[in-house]
Amino acid sequence: MQDPGSIRSGADGLTMIKITTDLSGLTKAQRFIGAYKNQLPFAAKNALNQTAYQVQQVMRQHTTQAFDQPVPFTKKGFLYTKASKTDLTAEVFTAKDRPYLNTQIFGGQRLWKTYEGLIRGLARETGNPLPSNRKIVPTAIAKNKSGNPKRRLFGEIQSRLSTSDRGGFMIGTPRGGGRMPGVYRRSRGRLVPYFLAVPNEPTYRPRFPFEKLGNDTVRRIYPTELSKALDRAISSAR
């Protein structure tokens, strides 16, 4: 039997584990391949699909180890497609609307965030555009427990922008030098940074062992699932 697991990054940006099989090498199947050959693809399909489901669950569970308090959106970022009797291939992959997972898997530069467009738009409206060659990142005070910007902040920034009252926000580069452009909040006579336009683009090291998790789970689960599926096929065909 060939190694059933492989990893690839497709042209569509999805990272996936492909789980497939070569029926010609199944020793247990030789006992009934003549009499029950029509049952064999059905058994292999069921084994592949159960294995793909188990890989998906392992991926979701591991997010709590790889990431600091991941949100449900991240935990549910792994999907799978099922095999059929005519196409004995199942795939586990990252959801297309969670491209940041690929950065966590392979490492690399931080991806564009939706909120950057909002902040840049507000900056242009106030006549203080932020440098286009810099990434806008939240500071610790702007983050929730999962490390993402607090959602309520964006409404507050929009409603209290360019105000001189205590607690209001300003976008731009503070006077006096030494401070980066960004979003600041007035508090007790000083400016507190909430978002900064950083000069060095953040890069990430690989944090999520997608390939190892997937292939290790396939090697551990698939032989057992195939054996059970073959036993069920033999029993039902009698």
Side-chain angles (χ1 to χ4, degrees):
M1 180 179 70
Q2 69 183 44
D3 186 348
S6 64
I7 183 173
R8 70 181 180 87
S9 181
D12 53 9
L14 303 182
T15 300
M16 64 181 66
I17 290 284
K18 180 176 286 190
I19 310 168
T20 187
T21 190
D22 179 1
L23 295 181
S24 62
L26 301 176
T27 55
K28 190 170 186 176
Q30 304 304 319
R31 294 189 290 117
F32 69 101
I33 197 169
Y36 308 122
K37 63 181 180 179
N38 291 333
Q39 296 291 326
L40 187 54
F42 179 75
K45 176 204 73 169
N46 288 344
L48 288 169
N49 291 339
Q50 183 59 31
T51 301
Y53 170 76
Q54 293 296 335
V55 171
Q56 179 202 46
Q57 296 307 303
V58 167
M59 297 288 186
R60 291 182 172 184
Q61 292 167 10
H62 194 77
T63 58
T64 59
Q65 299 178 43
F67 309 131
D68 182 20
Q69 297 182 314
V71 297
F73 186 74
T74 294
K75 292 180 181 179
K76 296 178 182 179
F78 301 94
L79 310 174
Y80 74 98
T81 57
K82 292 184 177 182
S84 67
K85 288 196 296 183
T86 56
D87 183 7
L88 294 175
T89 300
E91 294 179 335
V92 184
F93 53 93
T94 55
K96 193 172 184 178
D97 61 349
R98 296 157 178 82
Y100 61 88
L101 286 174
N102 288 342
T103 304
Q104 300 298 329
I105 292 168
F106 297 108
Q109 293 183 334
R110 173 181 174 274
L111 299 177
W112 171 271
K113 304 291 185 178
T114 303
Y115 66 77
E116 292 189 69
L118 170 64
I119 292 175
R120 289 187 183 280
L122 292 173
R124 286 192 297 269
E125 290 177 10
T126 61
N128 297 302
L130 297 174
S132 60
N133 62 342
R134 295 189 179 192
K135 293 288 187 180
I136 300 173
V137 298
T139 62
I141 198 171
K143 295 178 182 179
N144 59 25
K145 63 181 181 180
S146 298
N148 298 314
K150 300 171 184 176
R151 292 192 176 186
R152 61 174 176 78
L153 267 182
F154 300 109
E156 290 185 36
I157 292 172
Q158 287 179 290
S159 64
R160 306 191 68 180
L161 187 61
S162 297
T163 61
S164 58
D165 62 311
R166 182 176 170 180
F169 289 89
M170 64 84 65
I171 298 181
T173 304
R175 295 177 182 177
R179 286 182 287 191
M180 285 187 285
V183 180
Y184 291 80
R185 190 168 201 169
R186 297 177 180 86
S187 176
R188 298 180 181 180
R190 64 190 183 96
L191 291 175
V192 179
Y194 274 65
F195 293 87
L196 294 174
V198 297
N200 297 317
E201 191 165 325
T203 57
Y204 297 98
R205 294 181 179 180
R207 296 176 61 190
F208 193 90
F210 184 88
E211 179 176 7
K212 178 174 174 54
L213 280 177
N215 289 335
D216 286 355
T217 304
V218 169
R219 295 186 184 104
R220 176 171 54 86
I221 296 293
Y222 182 72
T224 300
E225 290 299 330
L226 182 59
S227 180
K228 291 192 295 186
L230 290 174
D231 286 340
R232 289 193 296 269
I234 293 172
S235 177
S236 64
R238 287 172 181 168

